[in-house]
Amino acid sequence: MGFLLSKSMEQNFQKQQEFMLLNARLQLERQLQMQNQMRERQVAMQIAWSREFLKYFGSFFGLVTLGLSIGAVKKRRAALLTPVIPLSFIMAYQMDVAYGSLIHRMREEAESIMGSESKRLEMPHGMPTFESIEKSRRAKSRLSSVLEK
């Protein structure tokens, strides 16, 4: 009788472990999906900001270029067009950020760094551990000294 009860309890325990493992996996998948969606939203906001900034900077660039061109023609001094050169580089960069392939080139470079230069990515003192976090938390916590007494 005790053997049958023990076997039944063991089967229930095994089913409970499988359920807990499945539940933990499902929770992890949901968490990863949520983090990815949050990352996508942040990147979309950055691209939207770049496009909005490009509208204002493009207007500024156009007005400055027009004004300096008119001034250069009227005064017959080509040197007045000199500020257009660095402004055009900024304009090209902003266009690349807003509508170009900068994000793809950055992703490729990041993948290359992660693959071939992984030592540069290591954190000082290695990965944080539970013990190191707890030690730091206890050192900074006012309640820990009261609770330990």
Side-chain angles (χ1 to χ4, degrees), residues 16-139:
Q16 186 69 19
Q17 278 187 323
E18 289 173 8
F19 174 75
M20 288 173 58
L21 183 63
L22 182 66
N23 197 23
R25 181 183 174 129
L26 184 63
Q27 184 178 9
L28 179 62
E29 287 175 359
R30 285 179 177 152
Q31 190 174 28
L32 289 171
Q33 187 69 21
M34 181 187 68
Q35 287 176 349
N36 190 50
Q37 285 184 9
M38 292 302 294
R39 183 196 59 80
E40 287 175 350
R41 290 175 185 183
Q42 288 173 340
V43 170
M45 285 296 292
Q46 289 174 340
I47 293 170
W49 181 90
S50 295
R51 290 181 179 177
E52 191 65 25
F53 179 79
L54 183 62
K55 291 175 190 175
Y56 288 98
F57 187 78
S59 300
F60 168 75
F61 177 75
L63 289 173
V64 167
T65 303
L66 180 67
L68 290 174
S69 298
I70 291 171
V73 169
K74 281 186 176 180
K75 295 193 178 206
R76 296 182 186 201
R77 291 179 54 204
L80 286 175
L81 292 174
T82 306
V84 173
I85 296 169
L87 289 175
S88 64
F89 281 103
I90 296 170
M91 182 71 173
Y93 172 77
Q94 288 300 324
M95 288 178 66
D96 194 21
V97 170
Y99 295 102
S101 61
L102 178 70
I103 192 88
H104 301 294
R105 293 191 313 270
M106 287 173 54
R107 185 179 302 125
E108 288 173 8
E109 184 65 25
E111 288 172 355
S112 171
I113 291 168
M114 290 175 77
S116 63
E117 302 176 43
S118 60
K119 288 285 185 191
R120 293 179 145 210
L121 304 175
E122 291 179 6
M123 297 183 72
H125 299 291
M127 283 287 290
T129 63
F130 178 78
E131 289 80 19
S132 67
I133 293 169
E134 275 298 300
K135 182 179 177 184
S136 175
R137 185 191 65 78
R138 285 186 182 131

Side-chain angles (χ1 to χ4, degrees), residues 1-14:
M1 176 100 174
F3 176 72
L4 291 174
L5 186 63
S6 172
K7 189 171 183 175
S8 171
M9 285 179 59
E10 189 175 314
Q11 287 175 344
N12 283 340
F13 180 70
Q14 188 72 22

